[in-house]
């Protein structure tokens, strides 16, 4: 005997993305339950393809955003809701001479201390950085984001650090 084949089209918003290909043994009769099961398999395939598509879009958007953040002249670092540094662009290393590799996944207070040490007034700068951090964490800035000016000791320039909260639907803010 010969097997039969069924192709179930996978269509999302009118676009055919592919097929689910099923082999049916010779002599097997397909009933309503089998058809329902095949529809469920097709829906699972559609969901998986949509998820893959959304992940690819998110990755592409993330890559584009990282390209922009890494190409701007400003130094940028990101702190998650656990107060860990999770991103640090190359410009911040250039501006402060502090290597980014060490700071990823480290406590932000350590990074702020290192930044303060590059300043002409380390203790005053550290106090300002910690105060700005607390204002942000306690949500006391009310849309007015704290900015701390850091006069760099080894360079004839001033580094301005703006603390911006990012709403991530967590109790503790990212910034």
């Amino acid at each position: 005997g010969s097997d039969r084949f069924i192709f179930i089209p996978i269509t999302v918003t009118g676009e055919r993305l592919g097929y689910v290909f099923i082999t049916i043994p010779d002599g097997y009769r397909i009933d309503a339950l089998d058809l329902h099961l095949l529809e469920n398999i097709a829906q699972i395939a559609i969901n998986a393809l949509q998820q893959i598509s959304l992940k690819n879009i998110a990755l592409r958007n993330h890559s584009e955003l990282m390209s922009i953040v890494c190409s701007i002249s400003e130094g940028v670092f990101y702190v998650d809701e656990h107060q860990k540094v999770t991103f640090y662009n190359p410009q911040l290393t250039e501006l402060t001479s502090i290597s980014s590799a060490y700071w990823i996944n480290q406590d932000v207070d350590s990074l702020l201390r290192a930044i303060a040490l590059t300043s002409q007034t380390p203790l005053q700068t550290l106090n300002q950085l910690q105060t700005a951090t607390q204002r942000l964490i306690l949500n006391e800035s009310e849309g007015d984001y704290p900015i701390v000016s850091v006069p760099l000791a080894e360079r004839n320039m001033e580094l301005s650090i703006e603390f911006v909260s990012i709403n991530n639907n967590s109790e503790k803010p990212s910034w």
Side-chain angles (χ1 to χ4, degrees), residues 12-64:
V12 177
T13 61
E15 181 182 350
R16 181 155 296 142
L17 301 176
Y19 296 88
V20 173
F21 176 76
I22 299 173
T23 304
I24 300 172
D26 188 34
Y28 185 83
R29 294 187 53 100
I30 296 177
D31 61 17
L33 184 60
D34 291 330
L35 287 175
H36 183 70
L37 180 60
L38 293 175
E39 288 173 358
N40 286 340
I41 290 170
Q43 188 59 50
I44 289 169
I46 288 170
N47 292 345
L49 289 170
Q50 285 178 323
Q51 210 171 32
I52 289 168
S53 178
L54 290 174
K55 283 182 183 178
N56 286 338
I57 290 168
L59 285 173
R60 188 172 47 251
N61 289 346
H62 178 72
S63 294
E64 290 170 3

Side-chain angles (χ1 to χ4, degrees), residues 7-168:
F7 295 92
I8 301 173
I10 304 299
T11 306
V12 177
T13 61
E15 181 182 350
R16 181 155 296 142
L17 301 176
Y19 296 88
V20 173
F21 176 76
I22 299 173
T23 304
I24 300 172
D26 188 34
Y28 185 83
R29 294 187 53 100
I30 296 177
D31 61 17
L33 184 60
D34 291 330
L35 287 175
H36 183 70
L37 180 60
L38 293 175
E39 288 173 358
N40 286 340
I41 290 170
Q43 188 59 50
I44 289 169
I46 288 170
N47 292 345
L49 289 170
Q50 285 178 323
Q51 210 171 32
I52 289 168
S53 178
L54 290 174
K55 283 182 183 178
N56 286 338
I57 290 168
L59 285 173
R60 188 172 47 251
N61 289 346
H62 178 72
S63 294
E64 290 170 3
L65 178 61
M66 287 299 107
S67 293
I68 292 168
V69 170
C70 288
S71 67
I72 61 175
S73 60
E74 289 83 9
V76 175
F77 65 95
Y78 175 78
V79 178
D80 69 10
E81 67 272 11
H82 304 292
Q83 302 306 299
K84 302 288 183 193
V85 177
T86 58
F87 176 80
Y88 189 108
N89 76 345
Q91 290 76 354
L92 195 55
T93 298
E94 253 181 65
L95 292 168
T96 63
S97 301
I98 299 170
S99 172
S100 64
Y102 176 78
W103 300 109
I104 299 299
N105 295 320
Q106 297 296 317
D107 184 73
V108 68
D109 196 54
S110 299
L111 174 60
L112 296 179
R113 289 177 188 281
I115 291 173
L117 287 175
T118 67
S119 122
Q120 294 171 1
T121 56
L123 290 176
Q124 178 184 355
T125 299
L126 179 60
N127 184 37
Q128 291 173 335
L129 291 170
Q130 289 174 332
T131 300
T133 302
Q134 287 306 309
R135 280 187 58 206
L136 207 61
I137 290 171
L138 298 174
N139 202 20
E140 294 176 353
S141 55
E142 297 179 20
D144 178 31
Y145 300 116
I147 298 175
V148 175
S149 295
V150 180
L152 299 176
E154 294 183 20
R155 294 182 164 188
N156 189 18
M157 66 180 285
E158 189 169 274
L159 178 67
S160 292
I161 300 176
E162 182 176 0
F163 292 78
V164 179
S165 178
I166 299 172
N167 183 0
N168 60 0

